[in-house]
Amino acid sequence: MIVVADDLDAPAVLPGGGNTLTITEPGPVGIFSSSVGSVQELQALFRAGSPIPAFNLQGAVVDNATLTTSATITDIQAQLAGTGMGYDIILLTPPPGSYDATVDGVFQTRNGVAGTTVLNTGSSGALIQGGVDTLNGGEDLDAFYFYDYIIRLNTSLADVSSGGVGRTKIADNGVVLPQDRVFFRYGNVHNTTYAAGAPSLNRFVAGFERAFMEGLFSLELRAPFATDAATAYAVDGNAITNGATTRFGNFSLYLKGLLVDDGRLAVSGGLGISLPTASDTSIHYADGTELLHISSDAVHLQPFLGMLYTPNRRCFAQAFLQYDVATNGNAVALNTGNGLTSAGSLTDANHLLFDAAIGYWLYQDKQAKGLTGIIPTLEIHQTVATGDGDIVSAGPFQIGNFNGNRSITSLVAGTTLECGTRTQITAGYATALGSDRDYDGAFQIQLNHLLGQ
């Protein structure tokens, strides 16, 4: 959009050379759309004597026509005298705030997606009518204020890297010692940014771990999926809505090796690989036309260390330190009016994850039938983004993670019930601490069953 304040008359007697120039005349002022994108383009057309593309009236600012230069009169006079050409650009300060508010209303009416109106100061400026390159007083000036409409689509809300399901990490139902086991984890996450049209997100992770080389190593597979995952959006008026759906996330493989085990202290380490099996993320207009498509392409590497400390038969402490790094980006295609075209690639921010837990065998009887143990636990989880993710711009759109570096802390309290010597059922509740959060609370339940004789 362009706001044009034309035929502004400079005073016959200019202020002193060290002053800026302000001209104010009765409005209203017109708001136009045009193929012209900057005052620099207008300058080139005027100088070449070329026809000017049509300016189409879209609205009006009910305020005075105002122009204030950003350089002093002496500086402007030196600039105009130094080129020897007409139609030099005079830089301006921003106009009154009423211009921004009115232009924003026009943009909001015209566009189907809510965005932010921004004055493009680099494209705005004034020209002296007739191309006379002097400023001696009495000239007519035309001020051109160019505005951009920026629509920000925040990919962090849909968690592009996991197809809206959420990332998995080794500490989620992880164990330090290599084992033969199968496991299942369920979480009901309340008021999450990943939920689609519902107050909660149901997340599931099924998997198994297989030990080899006499229990020194193990290979683990995790398959996450979720209901009410937010990956398919629809533009509805000035809002973006989404529908409930079941989605698979990124399958993860973990290779783990035992480094230390002296009976009390065990340390293991390994590497996780998160594969791009998650669903793509897309936004459609109401008529089905696709506005945005982000492919699930990124492979994540997740090196980790784990520690288990058991000072006696009843107490234990466990911790994991993990780094999550994206090895490549996710392709972005955007429709700016001519169908989906490539707009670039988004690379997820890297994360450092620290998880620690302490537990106590409140009841323990390996010889009992049925219930053989009760183990209350308390956990702390910390996730820190070590850098910002990418931002891709195309036309009026900006796609990326606009939340910046985040540090999310969660506290989990739970209890594990051991049945026999091979099956453990754990239930717990997690709550996010602080203002940086993706959810309010989550109920979790998980099952572990050891295999073998």
Side-chain angles (χ1 to χ4, degrees), residues 125-388:
L127 302 173
I128 296 179
Q129 289 186 7
V132 179
D133 62 353
T134 61
L135 182 61
N136 296 320
E139 295 87 357
D140 286 339
L141 288 86
D142 295 332
F144 300 91
Y145 298 103
F146 285 81
Y147 287 84
D148 296 328
Y149 190 66
I150 298 175
I151 301 167
R152 285 188 165 185
L153 303 175
N154 194 340
T155 61
S156 69
L157 299 185
D159 191 12
V160 170
S161 65
S162 67
V165 176
R167 300 191 194 187
T168 62
K169 56 182 178 179
I170 187 66
D172 291 338
N173 199 19
V175 292
V176 173
L177 299 174
Q179 294 180 347
D180 290 321
R181 62 177 181 134
V182 293
F183 54 87
F184 185 81
R185 177 184 174 91
Y186 165 72
N188 181 265
V189 190
H190 311 307
N191 295 325
T192 173
T193 55
Y194 303 114
S200 63
L201 173 72
N202 295 299
R203 295 180 60 189
F204 309 84
V205 180
F208 69 89
E209 181 179 3
R210 178 66 175 175
F212 56 95
M213 292 187 66
E214 298 182 346
L216 294 178
F217 296 90
S218 69
L219 183 65
E220 181 178 321
L221 171 67
R222 300 186 180 198
F225 61 99
T227 61
D228 299 319
T231 58
Y233 296 81
V235 175
D236 181 14
N238 286 333
I240 295 179
T241 59
N242 46 59
T245 184
T246 299
R247 297 285 182 176
F248 277 102
N250 286 340
F251 281 37
S252 297
L253 291 171
Y254 291 99
L255 178 63
K256 179 168 58 184
L258 187 60
L259 304 176
V260 175
D261 186 5
D262 65 4
R264 288 192 176 186
L265 177 66
V267 178
S268 62
L271 177 66
I273 302 177
S274 179
L275 303 173
T277 56
S279 304
D280 294 348
T281 298
S282 61
I283 298 178
H284 294 78
Y285 287 110
D287 63 1
T289 303
E290 194 166 15
L291 168 64
L292 172 71
H293 190 97
I294 305 177
S295 301
S296 176
D297 298 326
V299 174
H300 286 244
L301 297 182
Q302 301 174 330
F304 66 89
L305 286 172
M307 181 275 294
L308 174 64
Y309 179 59
T310 52
N312 54 55
R313 291 178 58 251
R314 290 189 176 273
C315 298
F316 66 90
Q318 178 173 282
F320 285 98
L321 181 65
Q322 178 176 324
Y323 191 63
D324 184 314
V325 57
T327 62
N328 59 292
N330 303 287
V332 177
L334 191 64
N335 185 350
T336 57
N338 298 308
L340 286 176
T341 57
S342 176
S345 178
L346 289 173
T347 301
D348 303 311
N350 300 330
H351 287 79
L352 182 67
L353 307 103
F354 175 73
D355 307 89
I358 56 173
Y360 181 79
W361 287 80
L362 188 65
Y363 166 73
Q364 185 179 34
D365 186 356
K366 297 295 185 181
Q367 305 304 316
K369 293 183 178 180
L371 184 65
T372 56
I374 301 175
I375 318 158
T377 56
L378 187 65
E379 304 175 11
I380 188 78
H381 302 272
Q382 184 74 36
T383 301
V384 179
T386 59
D388 294 336

